Structure formats: structure tokens, C-alpha cells
Amino acid sequence: MASLIKTSRGKVPSRAIQFMRPNGDRETIRLGKIGLEAGRTFKTKVEDLLSCAITNTAPDVQTSAWLAGLLDDVHAKLADVG
């Protein structure tokens, strides 16, 4: 559903999440320089949110807590892509 991609080189490269919205549009969320595990966690949470959007259900408690704990700029990036 979503892909974690590298957008630069280096020991800790910049990463982004790419995914398809339910309407078919491709979206990218640039995460900046983060580690692989943090990127994988972010990707999993984005996939959870996409599943909820498709099925019109509420996210589970862990995903909701993760979303509430995000920094404002990261939360804004998610809100910008719907």
C-alpha cells in the first residue's frame, strides 16, 4: 500500500513515504533524515490510516496515540495529503 523510499544518500539518508490515495492520486510525505526503523514505523502507521480511510473506520488506539504524539510540522504533512 505504501512505500518507504530514500531521497538522498548517506549514513542516515532522507526518506519519504509514497502511497496511492483511494481516488488514485499518488502522494509523497517527505520525512527528512530518519533511520530505517523509524521510517518503517511511519509507513506502517500511514498504511493503517489509509485502511481506515478506505473502510470508513476509526484508527486503533495505538495509531491514534501515535498520531496525537506527532510534532506539529509532521502532523501538518499528513493533513496536507488527506
Side-chain angles (χ1 to χ4, degrees):
M1 229 189 215
S3 299
L4 177 65
I5 61 170
K6 287 196 274 186
T7 57
S8 70
R9 296 181 185 198
K11 187 172 182 177
V12 181
S14 292
R15 298 185 191 278
I17 302 290
Q18 282 190 333
F19 62 93
M20 298 292 280
R21 293 178 59 161
N23 67 2
D25 292 341
R26 181 180 298 197
E27 297 287 353
T28 302
I29 302 170
R30 297 191 182 281
L31 303 176
K33 291 186 175 192
I34 64 169
L36 182 60
E37 286 304 313
R40 286 180 178 161
T41 299
F42 200 97
K43 178 182 92 75
T44 300
K45 297 301 183 185
V46 167
E47 288 174 339
D48 290 346
L49 292 171
L50 284 169
S51 295
C52 291
I54 291 169
T55 59
N56 197 27
T57 58
D60 61 19
V61 174
Q62 292 88 359
T63 302
S64 296
W66 172 82
L67 192 58
L70 289 176
L71 296 175
D72 289 341
D73 60 334
V74 178
H75 193 275
K77 289 179 183 183
L78 278 173
D80 286 347
V81 297

Coordinates of all heavy atoms in Angstrom, one line a residue:
M1 N 0.8 -1.2 0.0 CA 0.0 0.0 0.0 C 0.9 1.3 0.0 O 0.6 2.2 -0.8 CB -0.9 0.0 1.2 CG -2.3 0.3 1.0 SD -3.1 0.5 2.5 CE -4.6 -0.2 2.1
A2 N 1.8 1.3 0.9 CA 2.8 2.5 0.9 C 4.2 2.0 0.8 O 4.5 0.8 1.0 CB 2.6 3.2 2.3
S3 N 5.0 2.9 0.3 CA 6.5 2.5 0.1 C 7.3 3.5 0.9 O 7.1 4.7 0.9 CB 6.8 2.6 -1.3 OG 6.1 1.6 -2.1
L4 N 8.4 3.0 1.5 CA 9.4 3.8 2.1 C 10.5 4.0 1.1 O 11.1 3.0 0.7 CB 9.9 3.2 3.4 CG 11.0 3.9 4.2 CD1 10.5 5.2 4.7 CD2 11.5 3.0 5.3
I5 N 10.9 5.2 0.8 CA 11.9 5.4 -0.2 C 13.0 6.3 0.3 O 12.8 7.1 1.2 CB 11.3 6.0 -1.5 CG1 10.7 7.4 -1.2 CG2 10.3 5.1 -2.2 CD1 10.3 8.1 -2.5
K6 N 14.2 6.2 -0.2 CA 15.3 7.1 0.1 C 15.3 8.2 -0.9 O 15.2 8.0 -2.1 CB 16.7 6.3 0.0 CG 16.9 5.4 1.2 CD 18.4 5.0 1.3 CE 18.7 3.8 0.4 NZ 20.0 3.3 0.5
T7 N 15.5 9.4 -0.4 CA 15.5 10.6 -1.3 C 16.9 11.2 -1.3 O 17.1 12.2 -2.0 CB 14.5 11.6 -0.9 OG1 14.7 12.0 0.5 CG2 13.1 11.0 -1.0
S8 N 17.9 10.6 -0.6 CA 19.2 11.1 -0.6 C 20.1 10.0 -0.2 O 19.7 8.9 0.2 CB 19.5 12.3 0.3 OG 19.4 11.9 1.6
R9 N 21.4 10.2 -0.3 CA 22.4 9.2 0.1 C 23.0 9.5 1.5 O 22.8 10.6 2.0 CB 23.5 9.0 -0.9 CG 23.0 8.6 -2.2 CD 24.1 8.5 -3.2 NE 23.6 8.1 -4.5 CZ 24.3 7.6 -5.5 NH1 25.6 7.4 -5.3 NH2 23.7 7.3 -6.6
G10 N 23.8 8.6 2.0 CA 24.5 8.9 3.3 C 24.2 7.9 4.3 O 23.4 6.9 4.1
K11 N 24.8 8.0 5.5 CA 24.6 7.0 6.5 C 23.2 7.1 7.1 O 22.6 6.0 7.3 CB 25.6 7.4 7.7 CG 25.6 6.3 8.8 CD 26.7 6.6 9.8 CE 26.7 5.5 10.8 NZ 27.8 5.7 11.7
V12 N 22.6 8.2 7.2 CA 21.2 8.4 7.6 C 20.6 9.2 6.5 O 20.6 10.5 6.5 CB 21.1 9.1 8.9 CG1 19.6 9.2 9.3 CG2 21.8 8.3 10.0
P13 N 20.1 8.6 5.4 CA 19.5 9.3 4.3 C 18.2 9.9 4.6 O 17.5 9.5 5.5 CB 19.4 8.2 3.2 CG 19.2 7.0 4.0 CD 20.0 7.1 5.2
S14 N 17.8 10.9 3.8 CA 16.5 11.5 3.8 C 15.5 10.4 3.3 O 15.9 9.7 2.4 CB 16.4 12.7 3.0 OG 17.1 13.8 3.6
R15 N 14.4 10.3 3.9 CA 13.4 9.3 3.5 C 12.0 10.0 3.2 O 11.8 11.1 3.7 CB 13.3 8.2 4.5 CG 14.6 7.5 4.7 CD 14.4 6.3 5.7 NE 15.6 5.7 6.1 CZ 16.3 4.9 5.4 NH1 15.9 4.4 4.3 NH2 17.5 4.4 5.9
A16 N 11.2 9.2 2.5 CA 9.8 9.7 2.2 C 8.9 8.5 2.1 O 9.4 7.4 1.9 CB 9.8 10.5 0.9
I17 N 7.7 8.7 2.3 CA 6.6 7.7 2.2 C 5.8 8.0 0.9 O 5.4 9.2 0.8 CB 5.7 7.7 3.4 CG1 6.4 7.4 4.7 CG2 4.6 6.7 3.2 CD1 7.0 6.1 4.9
Q18 N 5.7 7.1 0.0 CA 4.8 7.3 -1.2 C 3.6 6.3 -1.1 O 3.8 5.1 -0.7 CB 5.6 7.0 -2.4 CG 6.4 8.2 -2.8 CD 7.0 8.0 -4.3 OE1 7.1 6.9 -4.8 NE2 7.3 9.1 -4.9
F19 N 2.5 6.8 -1.4 CA 1.3 5.9 -1.4 C 0.2 6.4 -2.4 O 0.3 7.6 -2.8 CB 0.7 5.9 0.0 CG 0.2 7.2 0.5 CD1 -1.1 7.6 0.4 CD2 1.1 8.1 1.2 CE1 -1.6 8.8 0.9 CE2 0.7 9.3 1.7 CZ -0.7 9.7 1.5
M20 N -0.7 5.6 -2.7 CA -1.8 5.9 -3.5 C -3.0 6.2 -2.7 O -3.4 5.4 -1.8 CB -2.1 4.8 -4.5 CG -1.0 4.4 -5.4 SD -0.6 5.7 -6.6 CE -1.9 5.4 -7.8
R21 N -3.7 7.4 -2.9 CA -4.9 7.7 -2.2 C -6.0 6.9 -2.8 O -5.9 6.3 -3.9 CB -5.2 9.2 -2.4 CG -4.2 10.0 -1.7 CD -4.4 11.5 -1.9 NE -5.8 11.8 -1.4 CZ -6.2 13.0 -1.2 NH1 -5.4 14.0 -1.3 NH2 -7.4 13.3 -0.7
P22 N -7.1 6.7 -2.1 CA -8.2 5.9 -2.6 C -8.8 6.4 -3.9 O -9.3 5.6 -4.7 CB -9.3 6.1 -1.5 CG -8.5 6.3 -0.2 CD -7.3 7.1 -0.7
N23 N -8.6 7.7 -4.3 CA -9.0 8.2 -5.6 C -8.0 7.9 -6.7 O -8.3 8.3 -7.8 CB -9.4 9.7 -5.5 CG -8.2 10.6 -5.2 OD1 -7.1 10.1 -5.1 ND2 -8.4 11.8 -5.1
G24 N -6.9 7.3 -6.4 CA -5.9 7.0 -7.4 C -4.7 8.0 -7.5 O -3.8 7.7 -8.2
D25 N -4.7 9.1 -6.7 CA -3.6 10.1 -6.8 C -2.5 9.5 -6.0 O -2.6 9.0 -4.9 CB -4.1 11.4 -6.2 CG -5.1 12.1 -7.1 OD1 -5.2 11.8 -8.3 OD2 -5.8 13.0 -6.5
R26 N -1.3 9.7 -6.5 CA 0.0 9.4 -5.7 C 0.4 10.5 -4.9 O 0.4 11.7 -5.3 CB 1.1 9.0 -6.7 CG 2.4 8.6 -5.9 CD 3.5 8.2 -6.9 NE 3.0 7.1 -7.6 CZ 3.8 6.3 -8.3 NH1 5.1 6.5 -8.3 NH2 3.4 5.3 -9.0
E27 N 0.7 10.2 -3.6 CA 1.1 11.3 -2.7 C 2.5 10.9 -2.1 O 2.8 9.7 -2.0 CB 0.1 11.4 -1.5 CG -1.3 11.8 -1.9 CD -1.3 13.3 -2.3 OE1 -0.3 14.0 -2.1 OE2 -2.4 13.7 -2.8
T28 N 3.2 11.9 -1.7 CA 4.5 11.7 -1.1 C 4.6 12.6 0.2 O 4.2 13.7 0.2 CB 5.7 12.2 -2.0 OG1 5.6 11.4 -3.2 CG2 7.0 12.0 -1.4
I29 N 5.0 11.9 1.3 CA 5.3 12.7 2.5 C 6.8 12.6 2.8 O 7.3 11.5 3.0 CB 4.5 12.0 3.7 CG1 3.0 12.0 3.4 CG2 4.8 12.8 5.0 CD1 2.3 11.1 4.4
R30 N 7.4 13.7 2.7 CA 8.9 13.8 3.0 C 9.1 13.8 4.5 O 8.6 14.6 5.2 CB 9.5 15.0 2.3 CG 9.3 14.9 0.8 CD 10.1 15.9 0.1 NE 9.9 15.9 -1.3 CZ 10.5 15.0 -2.2 NH1 11.4 14.1 -1.7 NH2 10.3 15.0 -3.4
L31 N 10.0 12.9 5.0 CA 10.2 12.7 6.4 C 11.5 13.4 6.9 O 11.7 13.5 8.0 CB 10.2 11.2 6.8 CG 8.9 10.5 6.4 CD1 9.1 9.0 6.7 CD2 7.7 11.0 7.1
G32 N 12.4 13.6 6.0 CA 13.7 14.1 6.3 C 14.7 13.0 6.7 O 14.4 11.8 6.4
K33 N 15.7 13.3 7.4 CA 16.7 12.3 7.8 C 16.3 11.5 9.0 O 16.3 12.0 10.1 CB 18.1 13.0 8.0 CG 18.7 13.6 6.8 CD 20.1 14.1 7.0 CE 20.7 14.5 5.7 NZ 22.1 14.8 5.8
I34 N 15.8 10.3 8.7 CA 15.4 9.4 9.8 C 16.0 8.1 9.6 O 16.3 7.7 8.4 CB 13.9 9.4 10.0 CG1 13.2 8.8 8.8 CG2 13.3 10.7 10.3 CD1 11.7 8.4 9.0
G35 N 16.0 7.3 10.6 CA 16.5 5.9 10.5 C 15.5 5.0 9.8 O 14.4 5.3 9.6
L36 N 16.0 3.8 9.4 CA 15.2 2.8 8.7 C 14.0 2.4 9.6 O 12.9 2.3 9.1 CB 16.1 1.7 8.3 CG 15.4 0.6 7.5 CD1 14.8 1.1 6.2 CD2 16.3 -0.5 7.1
E37 N 14.3 2.0 10.8 CA 13.2 1.5 11.7 C 12.1 2.6 11.9 O 10.9 2.3 11.9 CB 13.8 1.0 13.0 CG 14.5 -0.3 12.9 CD 13.6 -1.4 12.3 OE1 12.4 -1.5 12.7 OE2 14.1 -2.1 11.4
A38 N 12.5 3.8 12.1 CA 11.6 4.9 12.3 C 10.7 5.1 11.0 O 9.5 5.3 11.1 CB 12.3 6.2 12.7
G39 N 11.4 5.0 9.9 CA 10.7 5.1 8.6 C 9.7 4.0 8.4 O 8.6 4.2 7.9
R40 N 10.1 2.8 8.8 CA 9.2 1.6 8.7 C 8.0 1.8 9.6 O 6.8 1.4 9.2 CB 9.9 0.3 9.0 CG 10.9 -0.1 7.9 CD 11.6 -1.4 8.3 NE 12.4 -1.9 7.2 CZ 13.4 -2.7 7.4 NH1 13.7 -3.2 8.6 NH2 14.2 -3.0 6.4
T41 N 8.2 2.3 10.8 CA 7.1 2.5 11.7 C 6.1 3.5 11.1 O 4.9 3.4 11.2 CB 7.6 3.0 13.1 OG1 8.4 2.0 13.6 CG2 6.5 3.3 14.0
F42 N 6.7 4.6 10.6 CA 5.9 5.7 10.0 C 5.0 5.1 8.8 O 3.8 5.4 8.7 CB 6.7 6.8 9.5 CG 6.0 8.1 9.3 CD1 6.0 9.1 10.3 CD2 5.3 8.4 8.1 CE1 5.3 10.3 10.1 CE2 4.6 9.5 7.9 CZ 4.6 10.5 8.9
K43 N 5.7 4.3 8.0 CA 5.0 3.7 6.9 C 3.8 2.8 7.3 O 2.7 2.8 6.8 CB 6.0 2.8 6.0 CG 5.3 2.1 4.8 CD 6.4 1.3 4.1 CE 6.5 -0.1 4.5 NZ 5.5 -1.1 4.2
T44 N 4.1 2.0 8.4 CA 3.0 1.1 8.9 C 1.8 1.9 9.4 O 0.7 1.6 9.1 CB 3.6 0.3 10.0 OG1 4.6 -0.5 9.5 CG2 2.5 -0.7 10.6
K45 N 2.1 3.0 10.1 CA 1.0 3.9 10.6 C 0.3 4.6 9.4 O -1.0 4.7 9.5 CB 1.6 4.9 11.6 CG 2.2 4.3 12.8 CD 1.2 3.5 13.6 CE 1.9 2.9 14.8 NZ 1.0 2.0 15.6
V46 N 1.0 5.0 8.4 CA 0.3 5.6 7.2 C -0.6 4.5 6.6 O -1.7 4.8 6.2 CB 1.3 6.1 6.2 CG1 0.7 6.5 4.9 CG2 2.0 7.4 6.8
E47 N -0.1 3.3 6.5 CA -1.0 2.2 5.9 C -2.2 2.0 6.8 O -3.3 1.8 6.2 CB -0.1 0.9 5.8 CG 0.9 1.0 4.7 CD 1.8 -0.2 4.6 OE1 1.9 -0.9 5.7 OE2 2.4 -0.4 3.6
D48 N -2.1 2.0 8.1 CA -3.2 1.9 9.0 C -4.2 3.0 8.7 O -5.4 2.7 8.6 CB -2.8 1.9 10.4 CG -2.0 0.7 10.9 OD1 -2.0 -0.3 10.2 OD2 -1.4 0.8 12.0
L49 N -3.7 4.2 8.6 CA -4.6 5.3 8.3 C -5.3 5.2 7.0 O -6.5 5.6 6.8 CB -3.9 6.7 8.5 CG -3.4 7.0 9.9 CD1 -2.4 8.2 9.8 CD2 -4.6 7.3 10.8
L50 N -4.6 4.8 6.0 CA -5.2 4.6 4.6 C -6.3 3.5 4.7 O -7.4 3.7 4.1 CB -4.1 4.1 3.6 CG -3.2 5.2 3.1 CD1 -2.0 4.6 2.3 CD2 -4.0 6.2 2.3
S51 N -6.0 2.4 5.4 CA -7.0 1.4 5.6 C -8.3 1.9 6.2 O -9.4 1.6 5.8 CB -6.5 0.2 6.4 OG -5.5 -0.4 5.7
C52 N -8.1 2.7 7.2 CA -9.3 3.3 7.9 C -10.0 4.3 7.0 O -11.3 4.3 7.0 CB -8.8 4.1 9.2 SG -8.2 3.0 10.5
A53 N -9.3 5.0 6.2 CA -10.0 5.9 5.2 C -10.8 5.1 4.2 O -11.9 5.5 3.8 CB -9.0 6.8 4.5
I54 N -10.2 4.0 3.7 CA -10.9 3.2 2.7 C -12.2 2.6 3.3 O -13.2 2.5 2.7 CB -10.0 2.2 2.1 CG1 -8.9 2.8 1.3 CG2 -10.7 1.1 1.3 CD1 -7.7 1.9 0.9
T55 N -12.1 2.0 4.5 CA -13.2 1.3 5.1 C -14.1 2.2 6.0 O -15.0 1.7 6.6 CB -12.6 0.2 6.0 OG1 -11.8 0.7 7.0 CG2 -11.9 -0.8 5.2
N56 N -13.8 3.5 6.1 CA -14.5 4.4 6.9 C -14.7 4.0 8.3 O -15.8 3.9 8.9 CB -15.9 4.7 6.3 CG -16.6 5.9 6.8 OD1 -15.9 6.8 7.2 ND2 -17.9 5.9 6.8
T57 N -13.5 3.6 8.9 CA -13.5 3.2 10.3 C -12.5 4.1 11.1 O -11.7 4.7 10.5 CB -13.1 1.7 10.4 OG1 -11.8 1.5 9.8 CG2 -14.1 0.8 9.8
A58 N -12.6 4.0 12.4 CA -11.7 4.8 13.2 C -10.4 4.0 13.4 O -10.4 2.8 13.4 CB -12.3 5.0 14.6
P59 N -9.2 4.7 13.5 CA -8.0 4.0 13.7 C -8.0 3.4 15.1 O -8.7 3.8 16.0 CB -6.9 5.2 13.6 CG -7.7 6.4 13.6 CD -9.1 6.2 13.3
D60 N -7.1 2.4 15.3 CA -7.0 1.7 16.6 C -6.3 2.7 17.6 O -5.9 3.7 17.3 CB -6.3 0.4 16.5 CG -4.8 0.5 16.0 OD1 -4.3 1.6 16.0 OD2 -4.3 -0.5 15.5
V61 N -6.3 2.2 18.9 CA -5.8 3.1 19.9 C -4.3 3.4 19.7 O -3.9 4.6 19.9 CB -6.0 2.4 21.3 CG1 -5.4 3.2 22.4 CG2 -7.5 2.2 21.6
Q62 N -3.5 2.5 19.3 CA -2.1 2.7 19.1 C -1.8 3.7 18.0 O -1.0 4.6 18.1 CB -1.3 1.4 18.8 CG -1.2 0.5 19.9 CD -2.4 -0.5 20.0 OE1 -3.3 -0.4 19.1 NE2 -2.5 -1.4 20.9
T63 N -2.5 3.6 16.9 CA -2.4 4.6 15.8 C -2.9 5.9 16.2 O -2.2 7.0 15.9 CB -3.1 4.0 14.5 OG1 -2.6 2.7 14.2 CG2 -2.9 5.0 13.4
S64 N -4.0 6.0 16.9 CA -4.5 7.3 17.4 C -3.5 8.0 18.3 O -3.2 9.2 18.2 CB -5.8 7.1 18.1 OG -6.8 6.7 17.2
A65 N -2.9 7.2 19.2 CA -1.9 7.7 20.2 C -0.7 8.2 19.4 O -0.1 9.3 19.7 CB -1.5 6.7 21.2
W66 N -0.2 7.4 18.4 CA 0.9 7.8 17.6 C 0.6 9.1 16.9 O 1.5 10.1 16.9 CB 1.2 6.7 16.6 CG 2.3 7.1 15.6 CD1 3.6 7.0 15.7 CD2 2.0 7.5 14.3 NE1 4.2 7.4 14.6 CE2 3.3 7.7 13.7 CE3 0.9 7.8 13.5 CZ2 3.4 8.2 12.3 CZ3 1.0 8.2 12.2 CH2 2.3 8.4 11.6
L67 N -0.5 9.2 16.3 CA -0.9 10.4 15.6 C -1.0 11.7 16.5 O -0.5 12.7 16.1 CB -2.3 10.2 14.9 CG -2.8 11.2 13.9 CD1 -1.8 11.3 12.7 CD2 -4.1 10.8 13.4
A68 N -1.5 11.5 17.7 CA -1.6 12.6 18.6 C -0.2 13.0 19.1 O 0.0 14.2 19.5 CB -2.5 12.2 19.8
G69 N 0.7 12.1 19.1 CA 2.1 12.5 19.6 C 3.0 13.0 18.6 O 4.1 13.4 18.9
L70 N 2.6 13.2 17.3 CA 3.4 13.7 16.3 C 3.7 15.2 16.5 O 2.8 15.9 17.0 CB 2.8 13.5 14.9 CG 2.8 12.1 14.4 CD1 2.0 12.1 13.1 CD2 4.1 11.5 14.2
L71 N 4.9 15.6 16.1 CA 5.2 17.1 16.1 C 4.2 17.8 15.1 O 3.7 17.2 14.1 CB 6.6 17.3 15.6 CG 7.7 16.7 16.6 CD1 9.1 17.0 15.9 CD2 7.6 17.4 17.9
D72 N 4.0 19.1 15.4 CA 3.0 19.8 14.6 C 3.3 19.8 13.1 O 2.5 19.7 12.2 CB 2.9 21.2 15.1 CG 2.2 21.3 16.4 OD1 1.5 20.4 16.8 OD2 2.4 22.3 17.1
D73 N 4.6 20.0 12.7 CA 5.0 20.0 11.3 C 4.8 18.7 10.6 O 4.3 18.6 9.5 CB 6.4 20.5 11.1 CG 7.5 19.7 11.8 OD1 7.2 19.0 12.8 OD2 8.6 19.7 11.3
V74 N 5.0 17.6 11.3 CA 4.8 16.2 10.7 C 3.3 16.0 10.6 O 2.8 15.5 9.6 CB 5.5 15.1 11.6 CG1 5.2 13.8 11.0 CG2 7.0 15.4 11.6
H75 N 2.6 16.4 11.6 CA 1.1 16.2 11.6 C 0.5 17.0 10.4 O -0.4 16.6 9.7 CB 0.5 16.7 12.9 CG -0.9 16.3 13.1 ND1 -2.0 17.0 12.6 CD2 -1.5 15.2 13.7 CE1 -3.1 16.5 12.9 NE2 -2.8 15.3 13.6
A76 N 1.1 18.2 10.2 CA 0.6 19.1 9.1 C 0.9 18.4 7.7 O 0.1 18.5 6.8 CB 1.3 20.4 9.1
K77 N 2.0 17.7 7.6 CA 2.4 17.0 6.3 C 1.3 15.9 6.1 O 0.9 15.7 4.9 CB 3.7 16.4 6.4 CG 4.9 17.4 6.4 CD 6.2 16.7 6.5 CE 7.3 17.7 6.5 NZ 8.7 17.1 6.5
L78 N 0.9 15.2 7.1 CA -0.1 14.2 7.0 C -1.5 14.8 6.6 O -2.2 14.3 5.7 CB -0.3 13.4 8.2 CG 0.7 12.2 8.5 CD1 0.5 11.7 9.9 CD2 0.6 11.2 7.4
A79 N -1.8 15.9 7.2 CA -3.1 16.6 7.0 C -3.1 17.1 5.5 O -4.1 17.1 4.9 CB -3.3 17.7 8.0
D80 N -2.0 17.6 5.0 CA -1.9 18.1 3.7 C -2.2 17.1 2.6 O -2.7 17.4 1.6 CB -0.5 18.7 3.4 CG -0.3 20.0 4.1 OD1 -1.3 20.6 4.6 OD2 0.9 20.5 4.2
V81 N -1.9 15.8 2.9 CA -2.2 14.8 1.9 C -3.5 14.1 2.2 O -3.9 13.1 1.5 CB -1.1 13.8 1.8 CG1 0.2 14.4 1.3 CG2 -0.8 13.0 3.1
G82 N -4.2 14.5 3.2 CA -5.6 14.0 3.5 C -5.5 12.8 4.3 O -6.4 12.0 4.4

